[in-house]
Amino acid sequence: MKRIFIFLVLSCFLFASCKKSGFEAPEEKPLITSDLTGIDVKEGMTLVGIVTNSETGLPMEGVVVSDGYTSTVTDVKGVYQLVRNKDARFVFCSIPANCEVEVKNSLPEFYGDIYTFYDIFRKDFKLKLLSGGVENRFTLICLADPQVKTMTDYSRCESETMVDIRQEAEKHSVCYGVTLGDVVFDTPDMMGPMKRLIAYGPVKFFYTIGNHDHYQEKSNDAEARANFETNFGPTNYSINRGSAHIVVMDNIIYTGKQEYSTGFSDAQINWLKSDLNYVSKDKLIILCVHIPLRNQSAVSRLADIYGALKPYKEVHVMSGHTHYHQNFIMTDPSIYEHIHGAACGTWWTGTVNGDGAPNGYGVYEIEGNHIKNWYYKATNYPKEYQARMYAPYTFGDIAGYVIANVWNADPEWKVELYENGVKTGDMQQFTDYDKCAYQYFKSLGKAEPDTPDGTTTWYRRPDHLYRLKPVDPSSSLTIRMTDRFGNVYTQAKITTLYDELKQY
């Protein structure tokens, strides 16, 4: 009994001491917050702010705000409130269609860093209304894989790709841009210069992360993409232009040292659903990713992505990564994927991609909730340059044919052969290597695909080749191409030497 009494006395003394020193009272810890003036914070909310008109100071209702994990919308007072995810690095607003895309420090100003040492963090946004109202017509430029590694690459990107894009943008009244990943080639130090280069000019660019934009020395996905985020901002976000809702997502599951798979996480699926919850089903949806989705079995959680997109009237996927150009059309759900040839072609060695398509980028003319026209713009060539012709053809088992490499073709295109101005017939689609591209890569010492050390990284077999035997091979030959929109292109020049793929 004596021992019990002493224990109880000591316990009471220790309890009193702990309570007096504060060790027993975590509830007395002061709440650390940003200035919450003007916001009646609801219980449990940890990320808040007010969205206002930058010119009038009035609150803006109905603006979607997100931390990249979940989304909400501002109330009549312009207030948004979220429970921020513990892994969230940014908070951003999905720029409304009636607001300008304002640029600061070479980047669109639609997001801010979250300071995690606050229990409740506040980030306000000020948006400027478009003077002319919603842009019912605008052009979107999609730039895949600049993939700059050296200053020589940078110089070519500057003097060729970006000069061409600026000249193309001048032909369109309203123009925006989105990169489709691999801004750099495993060279984090090049991100700053590339950001300034791409931002210099009339096109306001948004960014998608690529596998080569990840930091190679990290084996954790979040750490590997951190440098990209520091330079370019969020990797999962959305914006609105006209009647189009543009979604950008990171579809690279990175495990380090160029080891990665393709797909989406549960958190990304949940975010996409929360984002689309505020988008009416009559909107045009444009999903931008780096790695193509067409190889469906290799893309984790793709069914969930397609399920979220299926209710929408028109859906397009913009991707890159492959260094060849391809159009891929799904029927269920109805989705058109545009896999873009690389701006750098085959890694700045010449002016050609693995499929024979020239270095270039995609141009999409959007009207209302529909893409009314698109084309692949070959760098340093006129818009009308949409095919290369080979004749007489002596490559492989199709000697005697006239061959057309029509890089942006899809099943709706019509490709015809004319001899001395008279139609010979419709050219038939087939799959094979591009003659000059094959010879060019071979001249570079690249092992051919069917050899023991062969590679398909360079040599590609495109599905946009067309052929027909001429009646008179000595006649004046012209290829006439009509795309799905009724645009007519012609090619009368015969390419015979792979030297033409080395430079413009």
Side-chain angles (χ1 to χ4, degrees), residues 34-64:
S34 303
D35 179 5
L36 303 178
T37 303
I39 301 177
D40 182 15
V41 180
K42 297 177 182 178
E43 185 177 354
M45 297 296 104
T46 56
L47 181 60
V48 301
I50 302 177
V51 181
T52 57
N53 183 315
S54 63
E55 295 180 311
T56 66
L58 295 175
M60 296 186 66
E61 183 181 7
V63 178
V64 176

Side-chain angles (χ1 to χ4, degrees), residues 2 12 41 43 134 182 226 293 296 364 376 423 440 444:
K2 185 175 181 181
C12 290
V41 180
E43 185 177 354
V134 173
D182 286 358
L293 305 183
Q296 299 172 46
Y364 300 85
Y376 183 72
K423 180 178 175 179
Y440 176 54
L444 296 176

Side-chain angles (χ1 to χ4, degrees), residues 2 36 44 47 62 71 75 124 190 276 285 321 381 444 457 473 495:
K2 185 175 181 181
L36 303 178
L47 181 60
S71 305
D75 62 21
D124 293 345
M190 296 297 292
L276 294 178
I285 303 295
H321 182 64
Y381 287 101
L444 296 176
T457 302
T495 299

Side-chain angles (χ1 to χ4, degrees), residues 462-475:
D463 59 3
H464 45 69
L465 296 179
Y466 293 77
R467 66 186 177 186
L468 186 67
K469 280 190 175 181
V471 175
D472 179 8
S474 65
S475 64

Side-chain angles (χ1 to χ4, degrees), residues 235-337:
T235 54
N236 299 286
Y237 61 94
S238 68
I239 61 169
N240 301 279
R241 295 289 87 193
S243 294
H245 186 67
I246 303 171
V247 179
V248 176
M249 296 186 74
D250 173 8
N251 70 338
I252 298 152
I253 302 170
Y254 199 81
T255 54
K257 302 290 186 181
Q258 273 304 301
E259 295 293 329
Y260 58 89
S261 59
T262 308
F264 305 88
S265 66
D266 292 346
Q268 287 178 290
I269 300 298
N270 292 336
W271 169 77
L272 179 63
K273 290 178 179 178
S274 73
D275 176 75
L276 294 178
N277 186 50
Y278 300 102
V279 181
S280 61
K281 299 300 185 289
D282 62 337
K283 297 294 185 183
L284 164 66
I285 303 295
I286 299 175
L287 172 62
C288 301
V289 294
H290 178 57
I291 301 178
L293 305 183
R294 74 189 182 312
N295 188 10
Q296 299 172 46
S297 62
V299 184
S300 64
R301 302 300 303 271
L302 185 59
D304 295 298
I305 294 289
Y306 283 163
L309 299 176
K310 187 173 183 176
Y312 289 88
K313 180 178 181 295
E314 184 173 331
V315 179
H316 293 260
V317 174
M318 308 296 182
S319 59
H321 182 64
T322 61
H323 296 253
Y324 63 84
H325 196 79
Q326 183 183 19
N327 292 315
F328 181 80
I329 304 172
M330 280 194 60
T331 55
D332 186 25
S334 178
I335 293 177
Y336 195 121
E337 181 167 20

Side-chain angles (χ1 to χ4, degrees), residues 14-259:
L14 289 171
F15 176 80
S17 299
C18 290
K19 193 166 185 180
K20 185 176 180 181
S21 64
F23 296 141
E24 173 86 3
E27 68 275 10
E28 295 179 7
K29 174 188 173 184
L31 192 65
I32 303 175
T33 70
S34 303
D35 179 5
L36 303 178
T37 303
I39 301 177
D40 182 15
V41 180
K42 297 177 182 178
E43 185 177 354
M45 297 296 104
T46 56
L47 181 60
V48 301
I50 302 177
V51 181
T52 57
N53 183 315
S54 63
E55 295 180 311
T56 66
L58 295 175
M60 296 186 66
E61 183 181 7
V63 178
V64 176
V65 181
S66 176
D67 65 349
Y69 291 85
T70 189
S71 305
T72 189
V73 67
T74 56
D75 62 21
V76 68
K77 296 181 180 180
V79 174
Y80 72 87
Q81 303 197 38
L82 281 170
V83 178
R84 73 172 183 252
N85 187 282
K86 63 180 178 60
D87 296 321
R89 181 175 177 181
F90 302 103
V91 56
F92 59 87
C93 62
S94 186
I95 303 174
N98 65 339
C99 293
E100 287 189 12
V101 174
E102 299 188 83
V103 175
K104 182 179 180 181
N105 297 327
S106 301
L107 292 173
E109 191 176 12
F110 69 101
Y111 68 93
D113 290 282
I114 294 175
Y115 297 149
T116 56
F117 52 80
Y118 288 110
D119 295 304
I120 302 176
F121 178 64
R122 173 177 181 168
K123 169 61 181 177
D124 293 345
F125 293 96
K126 294 182 179 181
L127 301 175
K128 184 178 180 180
L129 295 179
L130 286 164
S131 57
V134 173
E135 299 156 328
N136 189 53
R137 296 180 180 180
F138 71 96
T139 298
L140 181 68
I141 289 178
C142 290
L143 175 66
D145 302 84
Q147 208 156 329
V148 165
K149 190 178 187 70
T150 67
M151 285 307 300
T152 300
D153 298 344
Y154 177 91
S155 297
R156 286 194 60 185
C157 186
E158 178 181 33
S159 62
E160 297 171 19
T161 307
M162 297 314 301
V163 167
D164 197 272
I165 286 176
R166 290 162 196 151
Q167 292 173 347
E168 178 66 24
E170 292 175 356
K171 302 171 185 176
H172 305 269
S173 57
V174 180
C175 202
Y176 298 97
V178 59
T179 71
L180 298 174
D182 286 358
V183 175
V184 300
F185 193 176
D186 305 335
T187 47
D189 292 344
M190 296 297 292
M191 286 187 179
M194 284 298 290
K195 174 174 64 177
R196 293 186 289 274
L197 172 62
I198 294 173
Y200 179 75
V203 184
K204 297 173 181 178
F205 267 93
F206 294 83
Y207 293 85
T208 310
I209 191 171
N211 53 294
H212 289 290
D213 296 321
H214 286 72
Y215 190 55
Q216 304 300 297
E217 300 305 316
K218 302 295 183 181
S219 58
N220 174 281
D221 191 283
E223 292 179 351
R225 69 174 183 263
N227 189 60
F228 179 91
E229 291 175 326
T230 297
N231 282 278
F232 299 108
T235 54
N236 299 286
Y237 61 94
S238 68
I239 61 169
N240 301 279
R241 295 289 87 193
S243 294
H245 186 67
I246 303 171
V247 179
V248 176
M249 296 186 74
D250 173 8
N251 70 338
I252 298 152
I253 302 170
Y254 199 81
T255 54
K257 302 290 186 181
Q258 273 304 301
E259 295 293 329

